Amino acid sequence: MEDHEKKDGLYIPWGIKLEREYFYGYGKKELIITIIFTLLGAGIGIFINLVTDNIIAAVLEVLILPTTTVFCIVKNDCNISVVDQLKFMVDHAKEQKKYYYVQQDEWK
């Protein structure tokens, strides 16, 4: 074993997760977010049903919001979700893009 470590160097295992995942890219944090949005969707669905008396629209809203939430927060192989990617895009849009330089005589 020692000979193997000396020859190959440091062994770093790949794919080890720090937290338990229920399926790939979906852990406890994502489950809590999904539950919150499911409850929010149920509240909105009840409101839609009370206002419009349309049970189909209410049920569709209750089903669509949590499903969309799961699709947006599940992380891929690079550990980035759709929401993370959107955050990166917003941060990039806020960064400075133009750099104004003043030409000076460098041999003065």
Side-chain angles (χ1 to χ4, degrees), residues 44-54 58:
I44 294 171
I46 290 170
F47 179 74
I48 289 173
N49 189 28
L50 292 175
V51 171
T52 63
D53 200 29
N54 188 352

mmCIF file of all heavy atoms in Angstrom, residues 44-54 58:
data_model
loop_
_atom_site.group_PDB
_atom_site.id
_atom_site.type_symbol
_atom_site.label_atom_id
_atom_site.label_comp_id
_atom_site.label_asym_id
_atom_site.label_seq_id
_atom_site.Cartn_x
_atom_site.Cartn_y
_atom_site.Cartn_z
ATOM 1 N N ILE A 44 -51.452 29.478 -3.339
ATOM 2 C CA ILE A 44 -51.876 30.181 -4.561
ATOM 3 C C ILE A 44 -52.995 29.409 -5.252
ATOM 4 O O ILE A 44 -53.951 29.996 -5.773
ATOM 5 C CB ILE A 44 -50.676 30.394 -5.502
ATOM 6 C CG1 ILE A 44 -49.674 31.356 -4.858
ATOM 7 C CG2 ILE A 44 -51.127 30.928 -6.860
ATOM 8 C CD1 ILE A 44 -48.363 31.473 -5.609
ATOM 9 N N GLY A 45 -52.903 28.080 -5.253
ATOM 10 C CA GLY A 45 -53.954 27.262 -5.859
ATOM 11 C C GLY A 45 -55.285 27.416 -5.151
ATOM 12 O O GLY A 45 -56.340 27.487 -5.794
ATOM 13 N N ILE A 46 -55.259 27.466 -3.828
ATOM 14 C CA ILE A 46 -56.497 27.684 -3.071
ATOM 15 C C ILE A 46 -57.075 29.058 -3.391
ATOM 16 O O ILE A 46 -58.288 29.207 -3.584
ATOM 17 C CB ILE A 46 -56.236 27.523 -1.560
ATOM 18 C CG1 ILE A 46 -55.952 26.054 -1.243
ATOM 19 C CG2 ILE A 46 -57.405 28.034 -0.737
ATOM 20 C CD1 ILE A 46 -55.453 25.807 0.157
ATOM 21 N N PHE A 47 -56.196 30.059 -3.481
ATOM 22 C CA PHE A 47 -56.656 31.403 -3.822
ATOM 23 C C PHE A 47 -57.276 31.433 -5.222
ATOM 24 O O PHE A 47 -58.337 32.037 -5.429
ATOM 25 C CB PHE A 47 -55.488 32.389 -3.736
ATOM 26 C CG PHE A 47 -55.857 33.789 -4.090
ATOM 27 C CD1 PHE A 47 -56.594 34.573 -3.218
ATOM 28 C CD2 PHE A 47 -55.477 34.329 -5.314
ATOM 29 C CE1 PHE A 47 -56.949 35.869 -3.548
ATOM 30 C CE2 PHE A 47 -55.814 35.618 -5.657
ATOM 31 C CZ PHE A 47 -56.555 36.391 -4.772
ATOM 32 N N ILE A 48 -56.627 30.773 -6.182
ATOM 33 C CA ILE A 48 -57.169 30.718 -7.547
ATOM 34 C C ILE A 48 -58.531 30.036 -7.551
ATOM 35 O O ILE A 48 -59.469 30.476 -8.223
ATOM 36 C CB ILE A 48 -56.184 29.997 -8.500
ATOM 37 C CG1 ILE A 48 -54.959 30.863 -8.753
ATOM 38 C CG2 ILE A 48 -56.853 29.620 -9.817
ATOM 39 C CD1 ILE A 48 -53.867 30.171 -9.530
ATOM 40 N N ASN A 49 -58.649 28.955 -6.779
ATOM 41 C CA ASN A 49 -59.922 28.237 -6.737
ATOM 42 C C ASN A 49 -61.014 29.087 -6.102
ATOM 43 O O ASN A 49 -62.172 29.048 -6.543
ATOM 44 C CB ASN A 49 -59.754 26.925 -5.979
ATOM 45 C CG ASN A 49 -60.976 26.043 -6.095
ATOM 46 O OD1 ASN A 49 -61.702 26.110 -7.073
ATOM 47 N ND2 ASN A 49 -61.207 25.227 -5.081
ATOM 48 N N LEU A 50 -60.678 29.854 -5.069
ATOM 49 C CA LEU A 50 -61.686 30.703 -4.427
ATOM 50 C C LEU A 50 -62.125 31.859 -5.317
ATOM 51 O O LEU A 50 -63.297 32.218 -5.353
ATOM 52 C CB LEU A 50 -61.149 31.248 -3.101
ATOM 53 C CG LEU A 50 -60.948 30.220 -1.982
ATOM 54 C CD1 LEU A 50 -60.296 30.883 -0.777
ATOM 55 C CD2 LEU A 50 -62.265 29.573 -1.609
ATOM 56 N N VAL A 51 -61.159 32.428 -6.049
ATOM 57 C CA VAL A 51 -61.486 33.593 -6.881
ATOM 58 C C VAL A 51 -62.192 33.195 -8.169
ATOM 59 O O VAL A 51 -63.219 33.768 -8.539
ATOM 60 C CB VAL A 51 -60.202 34.407 -7.182
ATOM 61 C CG1 VAL A 51 -60.462 35.484 -8.204
ATOM 62 C CG2 VAL A 51 -59.646 34.998 -5.901
ATOM 63 N N THR A 52 -61.656 32.226 -8.876
ATOM 64 C CA THR A 52 -62.190 31.885 -10.196
ATOM 65 C C THR A 52 -63.122 30.681 -10.191
ATOM 66 O O THR A 52 -63.793 30.423 -11.180
ATOM 67 C CB THR A 52 -61.043 31.587 -11.181
ATOM 68 O OG1 THR A 52 -60.328 30.434 -10.716
ATOM 69 C CG2 THR A 52 -60.118 32.768 -11.311
ATOM 70 N N ASP A 53 -63.130 29.916 -9.095
ATOM 71 C CA ASP A 53 -63.916 28.678 -8.993
ATOM 72 C C ASP A 53 -63.562 27.695 -10.115
ATOM 73 O O ASP A 53 -64.405 26.995 -10.646
ATOM 74 C CB ASP A 53 -65.418 28.989 -8.996
ATOM 75 C CG ASP A 53 -66.219 27.840 -8.412
ATOM 76 O OD1 ASP A 53 -65.666 27.129 -7.545
ATOM 77 O OD2 ASP A 53 -67.375 27.656 -8.824
ATOM 78 N N ASN A 54 -62.264 27.684 -10.475
ATOM 79 C CA ASN A 54 -61.755 26.801 -11.513
ATOM 80 C C ASN A 54 -60.769 25.840 -10.867
ATOM 81 O O ASN A 54 -59.620 26.183 -10.605
ATOM 82 C CB ASN A 54 -61.083 27.623 -12.616
ATOM 83 C CG ASN A 54 -60.708 26.779 -13.806
ATOM 84 O OD1 ASN A 54 -60.804 25.562 -13.777
ATOM 85 N ND2 ASN A 54 -60.273 27.447 -14.860
ATOM 86 N N ALA A 58 -56.373 25.596 -10.556
ATOM 87 C CA ALA A 58 -55.772 25.502 -9.224
ATOM 88 C C ALA A 58 -54.884 24.272 -9.111
ATOM 89 O O ALA A 58 -53.759 24.341 -8.604
ATOM 90 C CB ALA A 58 -56.862 25.478 -8.159
#
